[in-house]
Structures are given as structure tokens and as C-alpha cells.
Amino acid sequence: MFEELIGGWDGEFVATHFDAPSSSWMFVGVHSTALGPGFGGTRMKVYAEPGQALGDVLRLSAAMTSKNAIADIGFGGGKSVLAVPEIPRGDARTEMLGRYADLVASLGGSYVTACDMNTTERDMDVVGERCPHVMGRSVAAGGSGTSAPDTAIGVFHGIRASLAYAFGSDDPSGRTIVVEGTGAVGGQLCDLLAEAGAKLVVSDIAHELARTVAERVGADIVGPADAFDVPCDLFSPCATGAVLNADTIPRLRCRVVAGAANNQLAEAGDADRLAAAGILYAPDFVVNAGGVLHLAGYERSGWTPEQMSARLTAIGDTLRDVFSAAERDGVTPEAAASRIARERIAVARDPG
Ligand SMILES: NC(=O)c1ccc[n+]([C@@H]2O[C@H](COP(=O)([O-])OP(=O)(O)OC[C@H]3O[C@@H](n4cnc5c(N)ncnc54)[C@H](O)[C@@H]3O)[C@@H](O)[C@H]2O)c1
């Protein structure tokens, strides 16, 4: 099963470790180091069987290669998955993360990790005690803290660029925007959009959170199951992945999709489905690059807040280039952005 999965993958290596004390599989996938060390978060998750975890590592590490290449941060793509029988807490969690840190350290810096689903700043602090190849630690431990505010700012610039391309004006004022997921990124995005005069409709499976954000920004609330049906100018997925699929795309009543969530397309053909429906899709890995810019910029490149602000604003410029390339080449924005990423990697591999 492992052989079959890895056989169809075009990455560099997968480190596999079975951690007997926690009965967990640990997979680190380094998809590409052409532009720098493979960089991507640590996902902790319960899977029905380890092959699914390996599948996630292969897919998500490849996505990080594209994201980091487009963001131009001097990193390649990687990802790790801790496939646990149940989410560990307390000492068991700390001890397991220590052994995971030893695994990452053993890779000699070819992989650099950070937070992802079910891992936190505090977890990265634990990893950082035994391994230098980690970003996203707490400020107290020498890291740059949460990346969510910068991700939200980057998405805001991406939304403005998308509105400009679709409607001829980047002004969110008076535009109806549905924000799916009002968590760390979605909530702050709502603040930015409300301040810019957008009419907001929000949804979150955490009803109290949705209500708090809605009251703060003067938004309407829609149930999570109905968010796709709301007539609007722009739909912004800021919750989970795979939300754009054969079931949801025909329901969308928007002109544009642009949001923070990772891996929004359930399958590659969904980019074509969106285009066929007349919906401009801003590729997630372009729009949500604020997170990796925050980490790499502050923790590796020593950027000032002014430099960070300029790079977050430039997400809008990158997106304009992607839309123009897509139109010129007659492909979807997803395909155009992937091509730009591949070209950057090819140049790095063979500068001559
Ligand atoms: N935090 C970052 O810097 C960053 C960077 C890049 C990408 N992302 C991606 O952006 C998304 C949001 O990240 P976050 O940090 O805000 O996470 P978060 O966990 O703080 O917020 C996600 C919110 O979505 C809600 N949610 C889950 N399923 C939902 C559904 N079906 N409908 C409506 N709401 C739902 C959750 O209740 C939660 O409030 C994630 O996909 C994440 O991978 C985050």
C-alpha cells in the first residue's frame, strides 16, 4: 500500500517512523528542496489507517511546494503528519512531540516544521527544545507567534485584487461577501472587510463564535449547510478544505471565490467546474500565503513590519499576474498559478 502511494508521487523523500510508546505513525514528506528546505506544518490527526496519513503527507507536501514557490520565501515544500490513535494530552503529548522533534532533527534541516491542524504554538515550543528546525513557536520562546492576523491581511489583499479583476473595482464597499468560518483568520478578515464597507454574511459550526463576530461587524448569519446558497459577490472559504466540490459548486451564487482555507478544491477538476460556472477562483495557495510569509519573513529573513506589510500587499499583485496568465493561456487560475510555481522551481534546478 505504501509503495503504491509513493510510486505516484513526484517528491524527494518520505521519512517514516512508528512511535511504539504512543502507537502513532509519524510521516515527514519532503516534496521539493529546489528553492530551499522543505517547509510545512505538522498535522496531528486520527486516521482509520496509516495509508491515509501517508496520502495526506504526499498531497499536502506537494501543495506546500507550490505555495512556498509562489510566496518566494526561499523554502521548498514539506509536510508532516502524526497519525495518532487519539489526540494525546499532557505528558504523553509532550513526550511524543519530543520524539517527533528527534525525527525532524535527524533530517538535518532538510525539513522545517510549524503548526497545522491540531498542533499549536505551545507544541512547537516543545519541538523547539530538541530541534532547531521549527518555526511558529510562541513569542516567549523566541518565535513569531500566531500567523493568523497576517494571513487575514493577505487574504484581504487577495480579495481586493479578485474584485478588481471580476468587477473592475477593488473596492469592497457595498459588495456582499460570505465568509465561511469565523475562526482566527476568518474573524479578522471580517473586521478588515467590514471596515472597508462590505456587507457580510458569516457562518460557523461554532454558533456562538459566528454570533460574536456577526455582532462585532454587523453581519448576517447563515447556517453552515446553507452558506453555499447565499447570493453574493464573493464567497470566502475560511474553514476547512475540500469545500469546493461537485456538490457545492453548482449551488454557489457568487462571481468570485477567494479565501484562506487550505486545499479548497476537493479534486483537480473542480477548478474547471468553477470556471465553467463563470466563477473566478483565486487559488488558495496564492491567497493564503500570509501565513508562510509571516513565519519565514520574521523568523528567517528578519523582515521589519513594514517589509511584511509590503509583501502581504504584494499577494494582490501576484494574484493579478495569475489571473492575467490564466486569461492569456486559456487555463484556469489554479493551473496558471501551478505553472508559475513549477517554472520557478525549474529555474532554480537549472539556472543556465
Ligand atoms: N492560521 C493561518 O495562519 C493560516 C494560514 C494559511 C491557511 N490557513 C487555513 O485557513 C483556514 C482557517 O484557519 P484558522 O487559523 O482561522 O482556523 P480556526 O480553527 O481558527 O478557524 C476555523 C473555523 O472554521 C469553523 N468551521 C469548521 N468547519 C466549518 C464549516 N463546515 N462551516 C463553517 N465553519 C466551519 C470552525 O468552527 C472554526 O471557527 C484553515 O483551513 C487553515 O488551514 C490558516
Side-chain angles (χ1 to χ4, degrees), residues 43 67 116-117 146-152 179-187 203-206 209 223-225 227-228 237-241 243 259-263 288-292:
R43 177 163 294 196
K67 184 193 288 201
D116 192 66
M117 187 186 289
T146 174
S147 57
D150 281 339
T151 302
V179 178
E180 185 208 32
T182 52
V185 177
S203 82
D204 198 297
I205 50 170
L209 181 61
F228 301 99
C238 295
T240 58
V243 290
N262 277 312
N263 311 302
N288 69 17
V292 295

Short mmCIF file of all heavy atoms in Angstrom, two decimals, residues 43 67 116-117 146-152 179-187 203-206 209 223-225 227-228 237-241 243 259-263 288-292, ligand 1:
data_model
loop_
_atom_site.label_atom_id
_atom_site.label_comp_id
_atom_site.label_asym_id
_atom_site.label_seq_id
_atom_site.Cartn_x
_atom_site.Cartn_y
_atom_site.Cartn_z
N ARG A 43 0.70 18.16 11.07
CA ARG A 43 -0.72 17.85 11.27
C ARG A 43 -0.85 16.67 12.22
O ARG A 43 -0.18 15.65 12.03
CB ARG A 43 -1.36 17.53 9.92
CG ARG A 43 -2.81 17.13 9.98
CD ARG A 43 -3.46 17.22 8.63
NE ARG A 43 -3.54 18.60 8.14
CZ ARG A 43 -4.31 19.01 7.15
NH1 ARG A 43 -5.08 18.15 6.51
NH2 ARG A 43 -4.33 20.27 6.77
N LYS A 67 2.89 26.53 -2.82
CA LYS A 67 2.63 27.73 -2.02
C LYS A 67 3.93 28.50 -1.72
O LYS A 67 4.00 29.72 -1.91
CB LYS A 67 1.96 27.35 -0.69
CG LYS A 67 1.59 28.58 0.14
CD LYS A 67 1.22 28.25 1.57
CE LYS A 67 -0.12 27.58 1.65
NZ LYS A 67 -0.71 27.71 3.03
N ASP A 116 0.07 23.10 12.36
CA ASP A 116 -1.00 22.83 11.40
C ASP A 116 -2.18 22.31 12.22
O ASP A 116 -2.24 22.53 13.44
CB ASP A 116 -0.52 21.81 10.35
CG ASP A 116 -1.47 21.70 9.16
OD1 ASP A 116 -1.60 22.68 8.41
OD2 ASP A 116 -2.10 20.64 8.98
N MET A 117 -3.07 21.59 11.57
CA MET A 117 -4.27 21.11 12.25
C MET A 117 -3.92 20.36 13.54
O MET A 117 -3.09 19.44 13.52
CB MET A 117 -5.01 20.16 11.28
CG MET A 117 -6.35 19.69 11.76
SD MET A 117 -6.99 18.45 10.60
CE MET A 117 -7.36 19.44 9.18
N THR A 146 1.39 33.81 16.52
CA THR A 146 0.35 33.41 15.55
C THR A 146 0.48 34.13 14.21
O THR A 146 0.72 35.35 14.16
CB THR A 146 -1.06 33.62 16.12
OG1 THR A 146 -2.02 33.34 15.09
CG2 THR A 146 -1.29 35.05 16.60
N SER A 147 0.27 33.38 13.15
CA SER A 147 0.34 33.96 11.80
C SER A 147 -1.03 34.39 11.31
O SER A 147 -1.15 34.99 10.23
CB SER A 147 0.93 32.94 10.83
OG SER A 147 0.17 31.75 10.85
N ALA A 148 -2.09 34.09 12.08
CA ALA A 148 -3.45 34.33 11.58
C ALA A 148 -3.71 35.79 11.17
O ALA A 148 -4.31 36.02 10.11
CB ALA A 148 -4.48 33.86 12.62
N PRO A 149 -3.29 36.79 11.97
CA PRO A 149 -3.58 38.17 11.54
C PRO A 149 -2.95 38.51 10.19
O PRO A 149 -3.59 39.16 9.35
CB PRO A 149 -2.97 39.02 12.67
CG PRO A 149 -2.93 38.12 13.86
CD PRO A 149 -2.67 36.74 13.31
N ASP A 150 -1.71 38.06 9.96
CA ASP A 150 -1.09 38.35 8.66
C ASP A 150 -1.73 37.55 7.54
O ASP A 150 -1.83 38.02 6.40
CB ASP A 150 0.43 38.09 8.73
CG ASP A 150 1.17 39.24 9.40
OD1 ASP A 150 0.61 40.35 9.45
OD2 ASP A 150 2.30 39.03 9.89
N THR A 151 -2.18 36.33 7.86
CA THR A 151 -2.91 35.58 6.83
C THR A 151 -4.17 36.33 6.43
O THR A 151 -4.49 36.46 5.24
CB THR A 151 -3.27 34.17 7.36
OG1 THR A 151 -2.06 33.51 7.73
CG2 THR A 151 -3.98 33.35 6.29
N ALA A 152 -4.88 36.87 7.42
CA ALA A 152 -6.12 37.61 7.13
C ALA A 152 -5.82 38.85 6.27
O ALA A 152 -6.56 39.15 5.33
CB ALA A 152 -6.80 38.01 8.44
N VAL A 179 -18.46 34.89 4.39
CA VAL A 179 -17.24 34.33 5.00
C VAL A 179 -17.63 33.04 5.72
O VAL A 179 -18.37 33.07 6.70
CB VAL A 179 -16.58 35.33 5.96
CG1 VAL A 179 -15.34 34.70 6.62
CG2 VAL A 179 -16.18 36.61 5.22
N GLU A 180 -17.12 31.92 5.20
CA GLU A 180 -17.40 30.62 5.81
C GLU A 180 -16.29 30.29 6.80
O GLU A 180 -15.16 30.04 6.41
CB GLU A 180 -17.47 29.52 4.73
CG GLU A 180 -17.87 28.18 5.31
CD GLU A 180 -17.33 26.99 4.55
OE1 GLU A 180 -16.22 27.07 3.99
OE2 GLU A 180 -18.03 25.97 4.54
N GLY A 181 -16.60 30.32 8.09
CA GLY A 181 -15.58 30.08 9.12
C GLY A 181 -15.10 31.38 9.71
O GLY A 181 -14.45 32.17 9.02
N THR A 182 -15.47 31.62 10.97
CA THR A 182 -15.12 32.89 11.61
C THR A 182 -14.10 32.65 12.73
O THR A 182 -14.20 33.22 13.81
CB THR A 182 -16.37 33.60 12.16
OG1 THR A 182 -17.08 32.66 13.00
CG2 THR A 182 -17.27 34.09 11.06
N GLY A 183 -13.12 31.77 12.47
CA GLY A 183 -12.08 31.47 13.45
C GLY A 183 -11.00 32.53 13.43
O GLY A 183 -11.26 33.72 13.19
N ALA A 184 -9.76 32.09 13.68
CA ALA A 184 -8.65 33.03 13.84
C ALA A 184 -8.46 33.91 12.59
O ALA A 184 -8.32 35.13 12.69
CB ALA A 184 -7.37 32.26 14.13
N VAL A 185 -8.51 33.30 11.40
CA VAL A 185 -8.31 34.08 10.17
C VAL A 185 -9.64 34.72 9.73
O VAL A 185 -9.70 35.93 9.46
CB VAL A 185 -7.75 33.20 9.03
CG1 VAL A 185 -7.62 34.01 7.75
CG2 VAL A 185 -6.40 32.62 9.42
N GLY A 186 -10.70 33.90 9.65
CA GLY A 186 -11.98 34.40 9.15
C GLY A 186 -12.51 35.57 9.97
O GLY A 186 -13.03 36.55 9.42
N GLY A 187 -12.35 35.48 11.29
CA GLY A 187 -12.85 36.56 12.17
C GLY A 187 -12.14 37.87 11.87
O GLY A 187 -12.77 38.93 11.77
N SER A 203 -20.79 32.39 8.52
CA SER A 203 -21.27 31.09 9.02
C SER A 203 -20.13 30.41 9.77
O SER A 203 -18.96 30.59 9.42
CB SER A 203 -21.75 30.19 7.89
OG SER A 203 -20.66 29.54 7.28
N ASP A 204 -20.50 29.68 10.82
CA ASP A 204 -19.51 28.86 11.53
C ASP A 204 -20.26 27.77 12.26
O ASP A 204 -21.36 28.02 12.79
CB ASP A 204 -18.69 29.72 12.53
CG ASP A 204 -17.40 29.03 12.94
OD1 ASP A 204 -17.48 27.95 13.56
OD2 ASP A 204 -16.32 29.54 12.61
N ILE A 205 -19.67 26.57 12.27
CA ILE A 205 -20.33 25.48 13.02
C ILE A 205 -20.32 25.78 14.52
O ILE A 205 -21.14 25.24 15.25
CB ILE A 205 -19.68 24.09 12.75
CG1 ILE A 205 -18.17 24.16 12.92
CG2 ILE A 205 -20.03 23.59 11.35
CD1 ILE A 205 -17.49 22.82 12.90
N ALA A 206 -19.41 26.66 14.94
CA ALA A 206 -19.44 27.14 16.33
C ALA A 206 -20.37 28.36 16.36
O ALA A 206 -19.96 29.48 16.05
CB ALA A 206 -18.03 27.50 16.78
N LEU A 209 -19.48 31.60 18.24
CA LEU A 209 -18.40 32.35 17.61
C LEU A 209 -18.96 33.16 16.43
O LEU A 209 -18.65 34.35 16.28
CB LEU A 209 -17.31 31.38 17.13
CG LEU A 209 -16.09 31.99 16.47
CD1 LEU A 209 -15.37 32.92 17.43
CD2 LEU A 209 -15.13 30.90 16.00
N GLY A 223 -26.66 29.46 8.40
CA GLY A 223 -26.23 28.14 8.91
C GLY A 223 -25.16 27.57 8.00
O GLY A 223 -25.17 27.81 6.78
N PRO A 224 -24.21 26.80 8.57
CA PRO A 224 -23.10 26.27 7.76
C PRO A 224 -23.57 25.51 6.52
O PRO A 224 -22.95 25.62 5.46
CB PRO A 224 -22.37 25.34 8.73
CG PRO A 224 -22.70 25.84 10.08
CD PRO A 224 -24.07 26.44 9.99
N ALA A 225 -24.66 24.78 6.63
CA ALA A 225 -25.12 23.98 5.49
C ALA A 225 -25.67 24.85 4.36
O ALA A 225 -25.74 24.42 3.21
CB ALA A 225 -26.18 22.98 5.95
N ALA A 227 -24.56 28.09 3.61
CA ALA A 227 -23.67 29.19 3.22
C ALA A 227 -23.43 29.23 1.71
O ALA A 227 -23.29 30.31 1.12
CB ALA A 227 -22.33 29.06 3.95
N PHE A 228 -23.43 28.05 1.08
CA PHE A 228 -23.12 28.00 -0.36
C PHE A 228 -24.25 28.58 -1.22
O PHE A 228 -24.04 28.90 -2.38
CB PHE A 228 -22.88 26.54 -0.79
CG PHE A 228 -21.76 25.90 -0.03
CD1 PHE A 228 -22.01 25.07 1.05
CD2 PHE A 228 -20.44 26.16 -0.38
CE1 PHE A 228 -20.97 24.50 1.76
CE2 PHE A 228 -19.39 25.59 0.32
CZ PHE A 228 -19.66 24.76 1.40
N PRO A 237 -13.98 30.97 1.56
CA PRO A 237 -13.84 29.79 2.43
C PRO A 237 -12.71 30.00 3.43
O PRO A 237 -11.55 30.13 3.02
CB PRO A 237 -13.49 28.65 1.45
CG PRO A 237 -13.69 29.21 0.07
CD PRO A 237 -13.49 30.70 0.19
N CYS A 238 -13.04 30.04 4.70
CA CYS A 238 -12.02 30.24 5.75
C CYS A 238 -12.20 29.20 6.85
O CYS A 238 -11.91 29.48 8.02
CB CYS A 238 -12.14 31.65 6.34
SG CYS A 238 -11.77 32.95 5.16
N ALA A 239 -12.70 28.01 6.48
CA ALA A 239 -12.94 26.98 7.50
C ALA A 239 -12.05 25.77 7.24
O ALA A 239 -10.93 25.69 7.77
CB ALA A 239 -14.41 26.60 7.52
N THR A 240 -12.51 24.87 6.40
CA THR A 240 -11.77 23.61 6.17
C THR A 240 -11.53 23.41 4.67
O THR A 240 -12.03 24.18 3.84
CB THR A 240 -12.58 22.42 6.69
OG1 THR A 240 -13.84 22.42 6.01
CG2 THR A 240 -12.82 22.52 8.18
N GLY A 241 -10.82 22.33 4.34
CA GLY A 241 -10.52 22.03 2.94
C GLY A 241 -11.66 21.31 2.24
O GLY A 241 -12.68 20.97 2.85
N VAL A 243 -14.00 22.17 0.32
CA VAL A 243 -15.36 22.73 0.34
C VAL A 243 -15.87 23.04 -1.07
O VAL A 243 -17.07 23.25 -1.26
CB VAL A 243 -15.47 24.01 1.19
CG1 VAL A 243 -15.32 23.70 2.66
CG2 VAL A 243 -14.47 25.06 0.75
N GLY A 259 -10.44 32.82 -0.52
CA GLY A 259 -10.44 32.68 0.94
C GLY A 259 -9.18 32.03 1.46
O GLY A 259 -8.26 31.69 0.70
N ALA A 260 -9.16 31.82 2.78
CA ALA A 260 -7.94 31.39 3.48
C ALA A 260 -7.75 29.89 3.53
O ALA A 260 -6.63 29.42 3.69
CB ALA A 260 -7.96 31.92 4.91
N ALA A 261 -8.83 29.12 3.47
CA ALA A 261 -8.72 27.68 3.74
C ALA A 261 -7.71 27.02 2.81
O ALA A 261 -7.60 27.40 1.64
CB ALA A 261 -10.08 27.02 3.62
N ASN A 262 -7.00 26.05 3.35
CA ASN A 262 -6.06 25.28 2.54
C ASN A 262 -6.80 24.22 1.73
O ASN A 262 -7.81 23.68 2.19
CB ASN A 262 -5.06 24.56 3.45
CG ASN A 262 -3.92 25.48 3.86
OD1 ASN A 262 -3.32 26.15 3.01
ND2 ASN A 262 -3.60 25.50 5.14
N ASN A 263 -6.31 23.93 0.55
CA ASN A 263 -6.82 22.81 -0.26
C ASN A 263 -8.33 22.85 -0.43
O ASN A 263 -9.04 21.89 -0.13
CB ASN A 263 -6.38 21.48 0.37
CG ASN A 263 -4.89 21.48 0.67
OD1 ASN A 263 -4.08 21.68 -0.22
ND2 ASN A 263 -4.54 21.33 1.93
N ASN A 288 -3.62 32.57 0.53
CA ASN A 288 -3.38 32.40 1.97
C ASN A 288 -1.89 32.35 2.33
O ASN A 288 -1.52 31.87 3.40
CB ASN A 288 -4.13 31.17 2.51
CG ASN A 288 -3.56 29.85 2.00
OD1 ASN A 288 -2.45 29.78 1.51
ND2 ASN A 288 -4.35 28.80 2.15
N ALA A 289 -1.05 32.91 1.46
CA ALA A 289 0.41 32.86 1.69
C ALA A 289 0.85 33.74 2.86
O ALA A 289 2.01 33.67 3.27
CB ALA A 289 1.14 33.29 0.43
N GLY A 290 -0.04 34.57 3.40
CA GLY A 290 0.35 35.42 4.53
C GLY A 290 0.92 34.62 5.69
O GLY A 290 1.81 35.10 6.41
N GLY A 291 0.42 33.39 5.88
CA GLY A 291 0.91 32.55 6.98
C GLY A 291 2.39 32.21 6.83
O GLY A 291 3.18 32.38 7.76
N VAL A 292 2.76 31.75 5.64
CA VAL A 292 4.18 31.38 5.44
C VAL A 292 5.06 32.63 5.34
O VAL A 292 6.23 32.61 5.74
CB VAL A 292 4.39 30.43 4.23
CG1 VAL A 292 3.71 29.10 4.48
CG2 VAL A 292 3.96 31.04 2.92
N1 LIG B 1 -3.87 30.48 10.58
C1 LIG B 1 -3.14 30.70 9.50
O1 LIG B 1 -2.19 31.48 9.51
C2 LIG B 1 -3.50 30.03 8.20
C3 LIG B 1 -2.60 30.16 7.11
C4 LIG B 1 -2.94 29.58 5.88
C5 LIG B 1 -4.12 28.85 5.77
N2 LIG B 1 -4.96 28.73 6.85
C6 LIG B 1 -6.19 27.96 6.67
O2 LIG B 1 -7.30 28.82 6.87
C7 LIG B 1 -8.38 28.10 7.46
C8 LIG B 1 -8.78 28.81 8.76
O3 LIG B 1 -7.67 28.84 9.63
P1 LIG B 1 -7.82 29.38 11.12
O4 LIG B 1 -6.43 29.53 11.64
O5 LIG B 1 -8.74 30.55 11.12
O6 LIG B 1 -8.52 28.15 11.82
P2 LIG B 1 -9.57 28.17 13.03
O7 LIG B 1 -9.64 26.77 13.52
O8 LIG B 1 -9.23 29.27 14.00
O9 LIG B 1 -10.96 28.59 12.33
C9 LIG B 1 -11.68 27.73 11.52
C10 LIG B 1 -13.14 27.96 11.84
O10 LIG B 1 -13.94 27.25 10.89
C11 LIG B 1 -15.05 26.73 11.58
N3 LIG B 1 -15.62 25.65 10.77
C12 LIG B 1 -15.21 24.36 10.66
N4 LIG B 1 -15.99 23.71 9.78
C13 LIG B 1 -16.92 24.59 9.33
C14 LIG B 1 -17.97 24.53 8.40
N5 LIG B 1 -18.26 23.40 7.75
N6 LIG B 1 -18.70 25.64 8.17
C15 LIG B 1 -18.43 26.80 8.81
N7 LIG B 1 -17.43 26.92 9.71
C16 LIG B 1 -16.68 25.84 9.96
C17 LIG B 1 -14.52 26.33 12.94
O11 LIG B 1 -15.56 26.22 13.90
C18 LIG B 1 -13.55 27.47 13.23
O12 LIG B 1 -14.17 28.53 13.94
C19 LIG B 1 -7.88 26.67 7.66
O13 LIG B 1 -8.25 25.91 6.52
C20 LIG B 1 -6.36 26.83 7.67
O14 LIG B 1 -5.70 25.66 7.24
C21 LIG B 1 -4.68 29.31 8.05
#
